[in-house]
């Protein structure tokens, strides 16, 4: 699953080591204070930079369930009205509060950066349940969400979305961010969504469908088995829990998919500096 937050400032430092010494912590806090004075409006077309300093009020994002309130509470302990669960109980949609000045991770190729906001923002997120956990088990939900609408996700999904044209395959529903964006491109005629979870499709597609602007066929199944049987202009594959290590899997999938002209996987274009082709 996709880790997004950094620890509170006092605990930052190499993993497994003691908290930062006071002088380093003071320098870090000073740096974040400086960054808070330099915040600019969010723009989904903005370039990735190692330090993004954003005005929270400008971070307008799509909420699939707009009545769900934002919360800082643990995912398993959210009160009524602060989450929506899929009917089978395997997925939870909630909106995480991102506090003012608390860094969120971003990635670009081999580089890692942070984004901070000058005001709290709500970040919609999709968590999946760990198999076999009871509804009241504090360990029921995976620690990291499958997807959350952070600037890091926006910026790293964008290179794939920009490749979409003609008949495009989108593998991985998540919060449907990329699916929706792909259907809004003029160059796209139709889309095939490939998603592993029937439960996620049955729950979210009725919510997402009014937001789609092109016909979308849905295939429920494992993208590694389904995609090689399809024909399309482009396949955009985002079924990966971690950023930056999908190169080999996407290349292998592309090699087994003679009917697909171009491939992109989450992070592959930034890692390689080029787009992957099947042939
Ligand atoms: C990171 S989320 C996708 C986020 C999506 N790009 C968005 O914009 O919201 C990954 C999705 O891929 C699905 N998935 C995971 N493994 C898969 C597989 N082998 N085949 C198809 N879908 C898979 C998960 O159920 C999840 O919905």
């Amino acid at each position: 699953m996709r880790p997004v937050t950094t620890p509170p400032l006092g605990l930052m430092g190499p993993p497994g080591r003691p908290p930062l010494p006071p002088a380093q912590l003071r320098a870090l806090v000073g740096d974040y204070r400086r960054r808070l004075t330099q915040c600019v409006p969010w723009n989904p077309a903005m370039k990735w930079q190692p330090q993004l300093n954003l005005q929270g009020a400008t971070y307008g994002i799509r909420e699939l369930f707009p009545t769900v309130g934002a919360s800082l509470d643990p995912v398993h302990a959210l009160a009524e009205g602060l989450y929506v669960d899929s009917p089978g109980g395997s997925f939870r949609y909630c909106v995480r509060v991102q506090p003012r000045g608390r860094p969120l991770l971003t990635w670009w190729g081999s580089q890692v950066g942070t984004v901070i906001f000058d005001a709290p923002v709500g970040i919609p997120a999709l968590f999946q349940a760990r198999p076999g956990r009871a509804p009241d088990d504090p360990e029921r939900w995976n620690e990291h969400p499958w997807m959350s609408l952070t600037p890091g996700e926006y910026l790293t999904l964008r290179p794939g979305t920009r490749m979409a044209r003609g008949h495009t395959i989108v593998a991985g529903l998540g919060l449907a961010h990329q699916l929706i964006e792909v259907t809004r491109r003029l160059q796209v005629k139709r889309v095939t969504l490939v998603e592993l979870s029937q439960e996620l499709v049955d729950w979210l597609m009725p919510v997402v469908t009014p937001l789609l602007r092109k016909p979308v066929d849905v295939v429920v199944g494992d993208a590694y088995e389904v995609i090689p049987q399809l024909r399309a202009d482009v396949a955009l594959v985002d079924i990966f829990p971690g950023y930056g290590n999908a190169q080999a899997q996407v290349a292998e999938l592309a090699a087994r998919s003679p009917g697909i002209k171009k491939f992109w996987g989450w992070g592959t274009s930034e890692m390689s500096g080029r787009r992957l082709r099947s042939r």
Side-chain angles (χ1 to χ4, degrees), residues 21 95 124 155-156 175 177 211 215 220 227 248 262:
V95 182
L155 301 183
T156 52
L175 284 173
H177 166 69
L211 305 170
V220 174
I227 290 179
K262 282 187 188 169

Side-chain angles (χ1 to χ4, degrees), residues 2 91 126 128 146-147 149 153 157 170-179 194-197 200 221-224 238-240:
R2 297 154 84 127
F91 294 94
L126 176 74
Q128 186 165 17
W146 250 129
M147 176 66 183
L149 292 177
E153 293 279 358
L157 288 166
V170 173
L173 175 59
L175 284 173
H177 166 69
Q178 188 164 47
L179 175 67
V194 182
E195 164 58 45
L196 190 60
S197 168
L200 187 64
D222 185 340
Y224 292 104
D238 179 22
I239 56 175
F240 311 108

